[in-house]
Structure formats: C-alpha cells, structure tokens
Amino acid sequence: MKENPWEIALKQLDEVAKRINLEPWIHEKLRHCKRILIVSIPVRMDDGSVKVFTGYRVQHNLERGPAKGGIRYHPDVTLDEVKALAMWMTWKCAVVGIPYGGAKGGVVCNPLEMSIGEIERLTRRYTSEIGIIIGPEKDIPAPDVYTNEQIMAWIMDTYSMNVGYSSPGVVTGKPLEIGGSEGRKEATGLGVYYIIDELVRKFKLGKPEKLKIAVQGFGNVGSNLCRFLYKAGYKIVGITDISGGVFNKKGINIDKLIKHTKGNRFHHIKGFKEGDFIEDYRKANEELFSLSVDILVPAAIENQITSENAQKIKTKFIVEAANGPTTPDADKIFEEKGITVVPDILANAGGVTVSYFEWVQDLQEHFWEKRDIYRKLSLVMRKSFNEVLNISKKEKCSLRTSAYILAVSRVAEAVRLRGIYP
Ligand code: NAD
C-alpha cells in the first residue's frame, strides 16, 4: 500500500526535531501548513460537456520569505501529497539558503488524456481560483510533474490579465520571451549533475567513464540530467519512464534518445531501438532497480523505492532527483546496507535555485547570461552538498538527516527571531 506522504513528511520532521532539541512550540508550528486552499475548477471540455476538477495550493511556511513551489497535474494528486511537497519545499529552500518558504500546488487530472485546449482552460481557471493567494511577493508557482513552460506562460498571462499589468514575477519556469531565465529549463537536472560530480569527487569514485548510472524518469529532470552526465562521459545503462524502459550495458546514446522522445507529444522513450526495451513500466522499473550500478537516480515520482524493493537494490549511491522517491522504511534498509542516499531536498534543489534567480531577474528587469546562471548554480549546489556532508560527518548520521538538521535549524531560527504574532 502506498505510504501517506504527509505522514512521511511529519515523521521526518519529528525525528529531526528530537535530534536537535527543537523547542516544542516551534516544532508544533512547523507540523502545520500555514495556508491550504482547495478549489473547484470547472472546465469546458472539447465535446461541449463541463467537467469539474479539484485543485490545491498549499503554503507550508513563510518565515524565510515568500512561498515557492511547483504545480503538479496528475490523477493521483491528493491534499496530503501537496501538503508534504509544500513542507519539503520549505526544507529545500532552507538547505540551499535561498530566501523562500515552501508551497506546492496540484490539480487532480490526467493531462495525458486531455487536449491542449482543455489543459489551457484548466490552467487559466485554476490560476484565477488560486489568484487570491499567489503573487510575486506572496507565492510564486513553478513547473512540476506534467506541467511545463507553456503552462507557466498561461499562468503568467492569466494572473497578469486579472491584475491589469504584466507580472512576470508571479511564476518561474516561463519561456525566455516573457521573462524566463536562461538555464531554468535544465536547472534541476543540472543541479543534480553538480551534486553527482561533487559526490564522485568527495567519495573518490573515479572517472565518469568507469561509472554506471541508472535513471528512473525521462521528463524534464531525468532527460536534462542524462544529457549532462552523458556529455561528461558517464555510462547510463538503464532508463525508464511511464512508457517502459530501455537498457544497454554499453551505455545509452542520450543525444539519440532525446531526439527520439522529441518525436512524440509526451516525450516518451517507447520505441527507442538502441538497447533492450521492456514495455511494461512496472517490470522495467523492477529491472532498473536491480541493476548493478554505481549510482541510481530516481527522477520520476514519489514512493518508488519502498521496503518491498529496497533489498534488491545493488547500487552504492542513490541520488534523489525526484521528490520523496524513497520511503522511510527503505531508507532504514539503505542505512543498514551502507548505501548512501543524497536526499531530494538537497539533490533536486537546482530547480528552485534557478527559479529564485529567475524571480530576482524579473523583479530587477535585468537578465543574466547563461554562463552566470550555471556558475552561480554550481556554487550553490556544491556549497550546500559540502555543508550537508560536513554535518553528516560531525553528527555521524545519514545525508538525509544532516540535510534536515541544516534545513530545520535554519527555518527554526527564522521562526524564533520573528516570534508569534500577535
Ligand atoms: P516530468 O513530468 O517532466 O517527468 C516525469 C517523468 O517520470 C516522465 O518521464 C514520466 O514518464 C516518468 N514517470 C512517471 N511515473 C513513472 C513510473 N511509475 N515509473 C517510471 N517513470 C515514471 O516531471 P519532472 O519535472 O521531470 O519531475 C520529476 C520529479 O522531479 C518529480 O518528483 C518532481 O517533483 C521532481 N522535481 C522537479 C523539478 C522541476 O524543475 N521540474 C524540480 C524539483 C523536483
């Protein structure tokens, strides 16, 4: 049975609170989301009928700055999932030291079964409904699972129409032409790449050419990560997505795979000929997780590595590009087996970091070069990785625990300084 992500998020917070002797009042405050908005979204479908979708926007904590977090379109979206993702955003922003609180949005829908027009109408109405709590100074959404640049453009346009002027700073992950940032599209994958690069150096794993990597998910994060890994010489021997999995012991040609995925609407890997292909994505994931690789990267969705499949995992390092891919039970198994897990709140923070850069550029109406973005992102990711690594050495704990210690301590200090209103 799928574990409840909100319960997982609370459990993680409770464990760290105990470890750092967090004052009970701060702990209690952080166990609650500041604001939860549930909206009904009526959409006229192409066949003339009206379907009402449910959408959420949750702001977990605003002590360190405005709320920030992606919007997800997925049939399995639940309020508890959105709350958990919002809390993880709070920790993520704190781990990399950017001045935001955590938020998340989600709409229960299946974009794979909807036309572009239906998705646009859904997006515009959802934006209008959550318009009362989002804004450049309040809460700034971004892309997440099954939402993209075009959807961000519709959000920016709808919000701008409602306030009466162009407001690029309301959302990040926009196209360049309307205030997007260089490097944002690939930022999460690139951030994961910098983390892997730093991990390989610090743990002295050797040359990229000698290292085998498996990646679950070939969407925005997975495909961009693979692109940078491939360019650096790493051998990617297995990739899965919702359409199946491709496996090649000699290494998958990522340039060709990306070209292949661009040929279909959902950018699926299905039909790629260079390697063995497993069509059933569940079987493909099973195969992927049992590969003997140096680094395994879950880059799809949450709850993928559980106590059921963790025992079969043979890798030494797991780098969580997705949010919440490993359950706490699986985490315990990895600690026992000596598998090092770089946690999501650190590993995939590149996206929100460049989102922050985008927002700063929008507010200043002054845009930076791509090389400046890459350099600044590299600095943030490597510095954060080393801060987390040092805490883990000092406290003799996992990288996840040390990332939480760092994040919760930073947020707690903000709560302490600001106090309780009134
Ligand atoms: P995306 O929609 O672009 O891609 C998701 C990928 O996962 C697709 O290839 C899809 O086919 C695959 N997938 C879905 N279910 C799967 C399953 N059961 N098995 C195998 N593959 C499956 O989404 P994304 O933006 O790449 O996000 C991926 C993960 O990274 C999510 O957990 C998201 O929350 C997280 N994340 C994304 C960003 C960002 O900037 N996009 C930032 C931080 C974290």
Side-chain angles (χ1 to χ4, degrees):
M1 210 173 72
K2 197 176 156 184
E3 289 190 52
N4 181 313
W6 178 239
E7 278 166 23
I8 294 175
L10 284 179
K11 217 194 280 183
Q12 289 166 333
L13 170 63
D14 294 346
E15 278 168 21
V16 177
K18 207 162 134 194
R19 207 176 171 117
I20 63 172
N21 275 326
L22 191 61
E23 298 96 304
W25 70 273
I26 298 181
H27 181 194
E28 188 56 17
K29 190 164 193 286
L30 296 178
R31 289 186 103 251
H32 290 84
C33 293
K34 180 182 171 69
R35 224 171 252 140
I36 295 174
L37 183 61
I38 305 176
V39 296
S40 298
I41 311 158
V43 177
R44 191 163 301 281
M45 308 302 279
D46 291 347
D47 65 4
S49 66
V50 173
K51 210 168 157 185
V52 182
F53 297 86
T54 300
Y56 306 102
R57 186 70 190 171
V58 175
Q59 297 169 353
H60 169 251
N61 183 278
L62 308 181
E63 310 282 349
R64 300 180 64 258
K68 188 87 188 84
I71 289 172
R72 170 175 298 200
Y73 288 174
H74 199 276
D76 298 338
V77 165
T78 63
L79 179 56
D80 275 355
E81 179 188 70
V82 181
K83 283 166 67 182
L85 290 163
M87 185 189 263
W88 288 325
M89 282 306 295
T90 303
W91 310 142
K92 192 179 298 182
C93 296
V95 154
V96 289
I98 56 176
Y100 282 139
K104 202 79 184 188
V107 178
V108 189
C109 65
N110 188 352
L112 305 188
E113 288 171 358
M114 294 169 73
S115 71
I116 305 281
E118 288 167 345
I119 294 173
E120 176 176 355
R121 293 192 289 280
L122 172 102
T123 301
R124 289 187 180 279
R125 184 61 188 256
Y126 171 63
T127 307
S128 274
E129 296 294 341
I130 65 166
I132 49 176
I133 61 168
I134 63 167
E137 293 94 23
K138 298 197 274 186
D139 180 357
I140 307 111
D144 191 66
V145 177
Y146 294 143
T147 55
N148 56 22
E149 275 196 342
Q150 176 59 73
I151 291 175
M152 298 307 114
W154 290 327
I155 294 177
M156 180 269 200
D157 184 66
T158 305
Y159 182 85
S160 299
M161 288 299 133
N162 288 347
V163 293
Y165 52 86
S166 281
S167 178
V170 67
V171 76
T172 58
K174 300 177 294 294
L176 271 180
E177 294 74 8
I178 53 169
S181 173
E182 289 286 357
R184 174 59 187 92
K185 214 189 284 181
E186 65 269 36
T188 308
L190 180 59
V192 180
Y193 168 75
Y194 288 139
I195 291 285
I196 291 179
D197 189 52
E198 206 58 23
L199 176 93
V200 167
R201 281 166 201 244
K202 289 286 142 65
F203 286 81
K204 299 192 170 53
L205 301 189
K207 290 208 159 62
E209 295 75 18
K210 295 241 157 65
L211 298 175
K212 283 188 271 177
I213 302 189
V215 180
Q216 184 197 32
F218 203 68
N220 173 292
V221 180
S223 67
N224 279 301
L225 166 67
C226 286
R227 189 158 64 83
F228 290 108
L229 289 172
Y230 184 66
K231 211 169 145 201
Y234 290 93
K235 211 189 269 183
I236 301 154
V237 294
I239 296 172
T240 61
D241 75 359
I242 202 68
S243 72
V246 59
F247 300 88
N248 191 334
K249 279 185 190 137
K250 290 187 189 142
I252 298 160
N253 184 320
I254 300 299
D255 292 341
K256 283 190 183 166
L257 182 59
I258 289 177
K259 205 167 159 204
H260 169 81
T261 58
K262 283 195 174 145
N264 62 80
R265 179 184 158 195
F266 299 115
H267 298 178
H268 284 161
I269 62 173
K270 191 175 169 178
F272 187 61
K273 297 275 185 282
E274 293 189 19
D276 300 324
F277 203 89
I278 300 179
E279 291 220 354
D280 180 334
Y281 76 90
R282 290 185 193 88
K283 286 198 183 127
N285 283 333
E286 245 175 70
E287 173 70 17
L288 189 92
F289 289 153
S290 63
L291 290 176
S292 283
V293 289
D294 299 284
I295 304 171
L296 171 66
V297 186
I301 50 168
E302 66 287 333
N303 273 326
Q304 293 302 296
I305 304 174
T306 65
S307 52
E308 276 165 36
N309 58 12
Q311 288 291 2
K312 293 187 195 132
I313 287 177
K314 294 190 198 110
T315 183
K316 300 217 176 54
F317 296 90
I318 294 175
V319 179
E320 294 184 334
N323 284 313
T326 313
T327 64
D329 290 344
D331 231 8
K332 278 197 196 106
I333 295 171
F334 295 144
E335 278 198 48
E336 282 159 21
K337 285 175 81 174
I339 295 176
T340 301
V341 181
V342 184
D344 48 4
I345 58 168
L346 168 64
N348 69 31
V352 74
T353 302
V354 178
S355 269
Y356 166 62
F357 297 161
E358 179 176 335
W359 178 72
V360 169
Q361 293 171 80
D362 286 335
L363 296 186
Q364 295 182 340
E365 295 177 14
H366 174 73
F367 290 86
W368 313 342
E369 301 284 333
K370 192 187 250 183
R371 62 168 184 270
D372 296 330
I373 307 263
Y374 279 24
R375 187 177 49 81
K376 283 180 206 272
L377 176 63
S378 172
L379 283 174
V380 170
M381 298 308 291
R382 292 177 198 278
K383 179 170 173 257
S384 309
F385 178 83
N386 285 301
E387 280 176 332
V388 170
L389 186 63
N390 290 342
I391 295 174
S392 87
K393 284 182 184 159
K394 206 169 131 218
E395 297 286 324
K396 298 192 174 35
C397 63
S398 68
L399 293 179
R400 188 184 314 279
T401 303
S402 58
Y404 269 81
I405 292 175
L406 181 62
V408 176
S409 303
R410 281 181 177 161
V411 177
E413 184 57 9
V415 176
R416 216 172 277 127
L417 286 166
R418 289 181 60 164
I420 295 283
Y421 173 85

